[in-house]
Amino acid sequence: MNFLIMKTTADQEIISKQKALNKMKNNALALLGVAVLLFIVAIYFKIPMLQAFSEAAMVGGIADWFAVVALFRHPLGIPIWHTAIIPLKKNEIGENLGSFVSEEFLNREKLEIKLEEFNFATKASEWLSEKENAVKIANLVAVNIIPGILKTINDEDIKHFIQIQFKEKLEAINFGDWVALALEPLQKGQLKEQMLTNIIDVLCNELIDNKDLIRKKVKESTPILTFGLADKSISEGVFNGLYDFLNEAKNPESDIRAKIDQYVYDFLDKVKNSEEMRGKINNVILGFAGKKEVQDYINGIWDEIKTSIHHDLDKGDQSSIKNNISNLIQTFGKGIKEDHAMLNKINNFIKNDVLSVLINNKKVIGDLIASTVKSWDGKEVSEKLELEIGKDLQYIRINGTLVGGLIGLVIYAFESVYHHFVL
């Protein structure tokens, strides 16, 4: 869409330039036509002064028309020597242009003076600090660059890359060591005791809340021949037994609590000191990560990122991405602007490093310019140049017509004076 808009704008600009060129050509031609008309009038009515003016004006106008046209094409299509200079001499023009740029523009002394006068870092930081300029760059990035990158990227490649990275990162992590390190404080001190007490309290509460469920399960398990007479006593026995067991386990001095403590201690000790146990923990976590549900979730990460980016960019001026880029650019510009050491580093980098690269490769740059010009079509180059400078060149024709006429009058006056006073 943006490409089409840019193309349309460029086409309109070309049309506008062509109209302006045609208008100036018509003006120059009309002036020459006036000179021809004046010449006819002068001959018919025998007006020597007007005849001298119109003759010289026609000569000047036609001569300058020939000179202007000869730059771009053969006048009247006749291959006259030294005409159509630009299309025929474009290779030489390219070489001369390349040599001129490399020798005159890529001159260290001249460039160093200009760079010091220009102070690129300061001007660039000031430009970036302006909100309007930062917004322009952010718009360019948000409207053209980011969507272009998203279109270019292959979704499957990105998803595959994310999966590989996720797997490699997981495999590089020793979860067994992490678990052992995290659980180490539980082997001693009040933390383990408090945790066990809290767990037992939760179990007690769950047991009370599910008393009816226990009774139901017991009823489903007892023989039909008991006619439900033993259900209540059995379920009460099961419930009371479990409840008494958990209450006993709450007491830190009880045998049950001691056995639970020992079990927890042994388990934690295995996690801490057994490579086999840590390997099992790793395998469990990695096996979980390899499940289809997890893989589908990982694949969906990129789709969600893309969708979020598109939705945000569609908000226009309310886009968080665009506003963040704009703020970042402004902050960057202001930061550099206030950092004199950084300004000097940037200027020195451009003056020394960038400039050295340009100077060391000036012949390459000159050859690139020459080869680029050589690759252009001669006729196309001529037409483009005429479109750019042809309008101004028409003033040469206009001036030639007028100046020629004035010179004709001067010659006529001189000739009249000579005949009157000398002869």
Side-chain angles (χ1 to χ4, degrees), residues 125-378:
S125 63
E126 290 175 351
W127 193 85
L128 292 173
S129 300
E130 296 292 333
K131 183 174 180 60
E132 181 182 355
N133 298 325
V135 169
K136 286 180 181 178
I137 298 176
N139 280 334
L140 176 65
V141 174
V143 175
N144 295 316
I145 296 178
I146 294 178
I149 293 174
L150 293 178
K151 288 180 181 178
T152 304
I153 292 175
N154 185 296
D155 291 346
E156 295 304 319
D157 290 342
I158 293 296
K159 291 176 181 179
H160 183 64
F161 174 79
I162 294 175
Q163 283 188 345
I164 291 176
Q165 292 299 310
F166 181 75
K167 182 180 178 183
E168 289 179 352
K169 296 300 181 185
L170 280 182
E171 291 176 348
I173 298 173
N174 192 327
F175 289 100
D177 290 342
W178 279 26
V179 173
L181 184 64
L183 296 179
E184 185 175 1
L186 296 179
Q187 283 186 295
K188 53 190 175 181
Q190 295 297 319
L191 183 60
K192 181 189 70 172
E193 298 298 332
Q194 185 62 46
M195 186 193 74
L196 287 175
T197 300
N198 291 340
I199 291 174
I200 293 171
D201 284 338
V202 171
L203 291 175
C204 284
N205 292 332
E206 289 297 315
L207 182 66
I208 294 171
D209 292 340
N210 291 279
K211 187 174 182 179
D212 292 338
L213 179 62
I214 294 173
R215 183 180 293 114
K216 180 180 178 182
K217 293 295 182 183
V218 169
K219 183 177 181 180
E220 291 174 353
S221 302
T222 54
I224 299 176
L225 295 175
T226 61
F227 300 105
L229 298 176
D231 294 350
K232 184 175 181 180
S233 58
I234 293 174
S235 62
E236 288 293 333
V238 171
F239 175 81
N240 293 333
L242 290 172
Y243 189 78
D244 291 342
F245 174 84
L246 292 175
N247 269 331
E248 183 69 18
K250 287 182 183 181
N251 182 6
E253 307 298 329
S254 68
D255 293 337
I256 294 174
R257 183 61 169 265
K259 289 181 180 180
I260 293 174
D261 285 349
Q262 187 62 43
Y263 176 81
V264 172
Y265 183 88
D266 292 342
F267 174 76
L268 296 178
D269 188 65
K270 280 185 179 181
V271 172
K272 182 178 178 182
N273 300 309
S274 171
E275 290 290 339
E276 181 182 359
M277 177 61 73
R278 291 203 294 274
K280 288 179 179 180
I281 292 173
N282 272 335
N283 291 335
V284 169
I285 294 175
L286 292 176
F288 171 77
K291 289 184 175 295
K292 182 179 182 303
E293 294 81 359
V294 177
Q295 293 298 310
D296 290 342
Y297 174 77
I298 295 172
N299 286 336
I301 292 175
W302 173 242
D303 292 330
E304 290 182 10
I305 292 174
K306 277 189 66 176
T307 301
S308 298
I309 292 174
H310 282 302
H311 285 168
D312 183 80
L313 294 179
D314 288 340
K315 294 178 181 178
D317 292 338
Q318 304 302 317
S319 168
S320 299
I321 294 175
K322 191 178 77 171
N323 291 330
N324 287 334
I325 293 173
S326 176
N327 293 334
L328 181 64
I329 292 170
Q330 265 192 288
T331 303
F332 176 74
K334 291 177 181 177
I336 295 178
K337 185 178 178 181
E338 297 169 358
D339 190 338
H340 296 290
M342 181 60 70
L343 290 174
N344 290 331
K345 285 182 180 179
I346 294 174
N347 282 330
N348 289 332
F349 170 75
I350 294 172
K351 183 177 177 181
N352 297 322
D353 297 344
V354 176
L355 194 56
S356 295
V357 172
L358 289 174
I359 298 301
N360 293 335
N361 292 278
K362 66 179 185 179
K363 186 178 184 306
V364 176
I365 295 172
D367 292 341
L368 175 63
I369 294 172
S371 62
T372 302
V373 175
K374 287 179 181 179
S375 67
W376 293 344
D377 177 72

Side-chain angles (χ1 to χ4, degrees), residues 28-180:
L29 183 61
L31 187 59
L32 181 60
V34 170
V36 173
L37 182 61
L38 291 176
F39 176 73
I40 295 172
V41 171
I43 293 294
Y44 184 80
F45 291 101
K46 296 181 181 180
I47 308 173
M49 184 180 294
L50 184 59
Q51 181 177 345
F53 174 84
S54 57
E55 283 179 345
M58 288 191 296
V59 171
I62 293 172
D64 285 337
W65 165 82
F66 183 91
V68 171
V69 173
L71 287 172
F72 305 106
R73 67 186 68 84
H74 296 301
L76 301 177
I78 302 172
I80 303 172
W81 192 42
H82 281 308
T83 59
I85 294 172
I86 291 175
L88 293 178
K89 298 288 185 179
K90 72 175 179 66
N91 291 349
E92 291 86 340
I93 293 173
E95 291 178 359
N96 292 334
L97 180 62
S99 298
F100 176 76
V101 170
S102 62
E103 295 302 326
E104 297 299 326
F105 282 88
L106 300 180
N107 180 285
R108 179 177 288 276
E109 290 74 18
K110 293 180 180 179
L111 287 175
E112 284 181 348
I113 294 172
K114 290 298 180 182
L115 286 174
E116 288 179 359
E117 292 176 354
F118 184 70
N119 196 345
F120 174 83
T122 300
K123 283 186 169 54
S125 63
E126 290 175 351
W127 193 85
L128 292 173
S129 300
E130 296 292 333
K131 183 174 180 60
E132 181 182 355
N133 298 325
V135 169
K136 286 180 181 178
I137 298 176
N139 280 334
L140 176 65
V141 174
V143 175
N144 295 316
I145 296 178
I146 294 178
I149 293 174
L150 293 178
K151 288 180 181 178
T152 304
I153 292 175
N154 185 296
D155 291 346
E156 295 304 319
D157 290 342
I158 293 296
K159 291 176 181 179
H160 183 64
F161 174 79
I162 294 175
Q163 283 188 345
I164 291 176
Q165 292 299 310
F166 181 75
K167 182 180 178 183
E168 289 179 352
K169 296 300 181 185
L170 280 182
E171 291 176 348
I173 298 173
N174 192 327
F175 289 100
D177 290 342
W178 279 26
V179 173

Side-chain angles (χ1 to χ4, degrees), residues 390-409:
K391 175 185 173 183
D392 295 323
L393 291 178
Q394 301 310 308
Y395 285 105
I396 295 176
R397 295 174 56 189
I398 293 172
N399 293 335
T401 303
L402 296 175
V403 172
L406 293 175
I407 292 174
L409 286 177

